[in-house]
Amino acid sequence: MENQVDELVRFFKALAEPNRLRIIGLLAQKPQSVEQLASILRVGESTVSHHLSKLGEAGLVSARAEGYYSIYALHTGALAGMAKKILHEETLPGLVLGMDVDSYDRKVLATFSDANGRIKAFPVQEKKFLVILRHILEEFESGMKYSEKRVNQILARYSADTATLRRSMVEHGFMEREGGGGNYWRVEKKTQPHIEGEPDPAR
Amino acid sequence: MENQVDELVRFFKALAEPNRLRIIGLLAQKPQSVEQLASILRVGESTVSHHLSKLGEAGLVSARAEGYYSIYALHTGALAGMAKKILHEETLPGLVLGMDVDSYDRKVLATFSDANGRIKAFPVQEKKFLVILRHILEEFESGMKYSEKRVNQILARYSADTATLRRSMVEHGFMEREGGGGNYWRVEKKTQPHIEGEPDPAR
DNA sequence: AAATTAATTCTATATTTATAATATTACTTT
DNA sequence: AAAGTAATATTATAAATATAGAATTAATTT
């Protein structure tokens, strides 16, 4: 079974060379022989043969034998198909399948946690402190209400400074509390796709 | 002014590398710092920086400074724009602009013509014979009618064997003649774009 | 059968490039 | 001001690849 990434790389590699792009342009006009393409591009026939084989592997062209000629033709459908694939919203997320996308978070947690999982020190850098907060947030269930006492109990598993943790959770919008200060609950995280030009809301 | 080919090559080159594709996939989820990407991809930060600069040159990503972080974000519009460009029917012909697409024909003509432009010998290979015929065909205007005598007069500029040339013109569909054999005329060539899977009609 | 032709394969070479270690730059925290 | 941090630039190196000459293959013509 082949990787999504490998397939795309083969396709883009095939098009990432000037003479191969020119061959695509020439074959878009009409099917042509290796000899004709070599003459127009002013490169050796073995070079053209090499390029055509790469284009063929990417599914962009194919040859038809005619006497001792090989007449190559463009698969316009392959280009169009890939263009649509790029536009398809499932393609980009598919590129990161099987990748360890939480590797950075784990590294930060490892740096600031001791063997028991308790916080050794609060990171000065906000970006890293947020990693810690999000990690601890997992202890709280969505839809549940927690008394301040209960919240402190849970936070105490990570640090004696429960006040800082509690306040930070609220300040960064991870948790909310009822009016006077009775009950706390975890804020639903809305999965927000990045919108071009917008500042990153997740930072 | 930059070439159409160069722009496309830069774009495809940017995407023709596994780690760069993965970066695209990761940035599609959310904007991220160089450090984060390096950690997830398990490559050096300088390597990621290098990749991001290539992606930036292709207009695929851009950075926003935040403290001493560079938060890179994907330009989803660039991907979509290129996909549409590929689908656009003007793009492929644009790749061959300024190229000597008749180079092969000229080479064939040079081989089989003498200094006066007369045919030294008829090429055995049909592909090359057609080049000769198409060249001579230019002597006839579209929409005009020519008597057989007049046709022979014109063909005689190229070869004494006017009978073979005349018959070949008709056989290959370049010219037609009226019923009994009186008048000849040049057949309008319909510019026929190649259709996938179809045998090439121009051969 | 021998010669010719187009294409491909093999081989070698020069160029490009992905990677990372090191040095430098820009910014932040103490 | 000094120390710390992230990113980039510089440099070096190993791997990938565009190119073409030579050898080979497959088909056609003489």
Side-chain angles (χ1 to χ4, degrees):
Chain A
M1 182 196 78
E2 199 188 25
N3 200 328
Q4 170 97 76
V5 171
D6 292 339
E7 186 200 338
L8 282 169
V9 166
R10 186 146 26 78
F11 179 83
F12 288 126
K13 259 188 167 42
L15 295 172
E17 209 280 332
N19 275 333
R20 283 202 288 269
L21 270 189
R22 293 188 189 106
I23 288 174
I24 295 286
L26 290 167
L27 294 184
Q29 297 185 330
K30 60 166 187 269
Q32 314 211 38
S33 69
V34 176
E35 191 186 22
Q36 285 174 303
L37 295 170
S39 165
I40 295 170
L41 294 173
R42 298 177 192 290
V43 294
E45 292 184 24
S46 61
T47 302
V48 171
S49 205
H50 164 78
H51 285 318
L52 286 167
S53 116
K54 295 242 167 187
L55 290 171
E57 283 167 24
L60 283 160
V61 307
S62 67
R64 164 171 59 83
E66 185 176 318
Y68 38 58
Y69 291 93
S70 294
I71 309 294
Y72 279 85
L74 181 65
H75 286 213
T76 48
L79 266 177
M82 185 55 64
K84 281 182 195 123
K85 191 170 202 168
I86 293 169
L87 291 173
H88 194 262
E89 54 187 17
E90 299 280 309
T91 302
L92 263 44
L95 293 173
V96 298
L97 283 183
M99 291 186 58
D100 180 11
V101 291
D102 295 325
S103 145
Y104 176 78
D105 285 7
R106 274 213 318 286
K107 215 171 78 178
V108 172
L109 286 172
T111 304
F112 291 94
S113 303
D114 65 17
N116 305 314
R118 292 179 61 82
I119 309 302
K120 285 192 290 194
F122 292 153
V124 166
Q125 294 177 80
E126 190 186 41
K127 184 191 281 283
K128 292 178 180 173
F129 188 52
L130 290 177
V131 171
I132 306 284
L133 287 183
R134 278 193 218 96
H135 174 62
I136 299 177
L137 186 66
E138 296 305 312
E139 299 279 352
F140 298 87
E141 272 182 55
S142 287
M144 278 269 290
K145 296 221 170 178
Y146 299 83
S147 68
E148 179 157 325
K149 188 178 162 190
R150 182 81 190 107
V151 168
N152 283 343
Q153 261 181 8
I154 294 172
L155 294 179
R157 293 174 202 162
Y158 291 93
S159 168
D161 188 355
T162 56
T164 296
L165 283 179
R166 210 182 53 241
R167 181 168 36 75
S168 300
M169 285 291 188
V170 174
E171 269 176 8
H172 290 97
F174 292 129
M175 298 187 84
E176 284 180 354
R177 84 163 145 235
E178 223 157 16
N183 289 324
Y184 289 75
W185 64 92
R186 178 176 169 166
V187 172
E188 299 295 330
K189 65 172 171 204
K190 24 192 180 285
T191 47
Q192 37 207 342
H194 174 64
I195 292 143
E196 176 135 7
E198 295 282 314
D200 177 13
R203 75 187 171 93
Chain B
M1 182 197 76
E2 200 187 27
N3 201 328
Q4 170 95 71
V5 171
D6 292 338
E7 185 200 338
L8 281 169
V9 166
R10 186 145 26 78
F11 180 84
F12 288 127
K13 259 189 165 51
L15 295 172
E17 209 280 332
N19 274 333
R20 283 202 287 268
L21 270 189
R22 293 188 189 106
I23 289 173
I24 295 284
L26 290 167
L27 294 184
Q29 297 186 329
K30 61 167 188 272
Q32 314 213 39
S33 68
V34 177
E35 191 186 21
Q36 284 175 305
L37 295 170
S39 166
I40 296 170
L41 295 173
R42 298 175 191 289
V43 295
E45 292 183 23
S46 60
T47 303
V48 172
S49 203
H50 164 76
H51 285 317
L52 286 167
S53 118
K54 295 242 169 185
L55 290 171
E57 283 167 23
L60 283 159
V61 305
S62 66
R64 163 171 61 81
E66 184 175 321
Y68 38 58
Y69 291 93
S70 294
I71 309 294
Y72 279 85
L74 181 65
H75 286 211
T76 48
L79 267 178
M82 184 56 64
K84 281 183 196 124
K85 192 170 201 169
I86 293 169
L87 291 173
H88 195 262
E89 55 188 13
E90 299 280 308
T91 302
L92 263 44
L95 293 173
V96 299
L97 284 182
M99 291 185 58
D100 180 11
V101 290
D102 296 326
S103 145
Y104 177 78
D105 286 7
R106 274 212 318 286
K107 216 170 78 178
V108 172
L109 286 171
T111 305
F112 291 95
S113 302
D114 65 16
N116 304 315
R118 291 180 60 81
I119 309 301
K120 285 191 290 192
F122 291 154
V124 166
Q125 296 176 80
E126 192 187 40
K127 183 191 283 281
K128 292 177 180 173
F129 188 52
L130 290 177
V131 171
I132 305 283
L133 287 183
R134 278 193 218 96
H135 174 64
I136 299 177
L137 187 66
E138 296 305 312
E139 298 278 352
F140 298 87
E141 272 181 55
S142 286
M144 278 270 292
K145 296 221 170 178
Y146 299 84
S147 68
E148 180 156 327
K149 186 178 163 191
R150 183 77 189 109
V151 168
N152 283 344
Q153 261 180 7
I154 294 171
L155 295 179
R157 295 174 201 161
Y158 291 94
S159 167
D161 189 355
T162 57
T164 295
L165 282 179
R166 209 182 55 240
R167 181 168 37 76
S168 300
M169 285 292 189
V170 174
E171 270 176 6
H172 289 99
F174 293 128
M175 299 187 82
E176 284 180 353
R177 83 162 143 235
E178 221 155 19
N183 288 326
Y184 288 75
W185 64 91
R186 177 176 171 168
V187 172
E188 299 294 330
K189 65 174 170 201
K190 24 192 182 280
T191 46
Q192 36 207 344
H194 173 61
I195 291 143
E196 176 135 6
E198 296 281 314
D200 176 12
R203 73 183 176 96

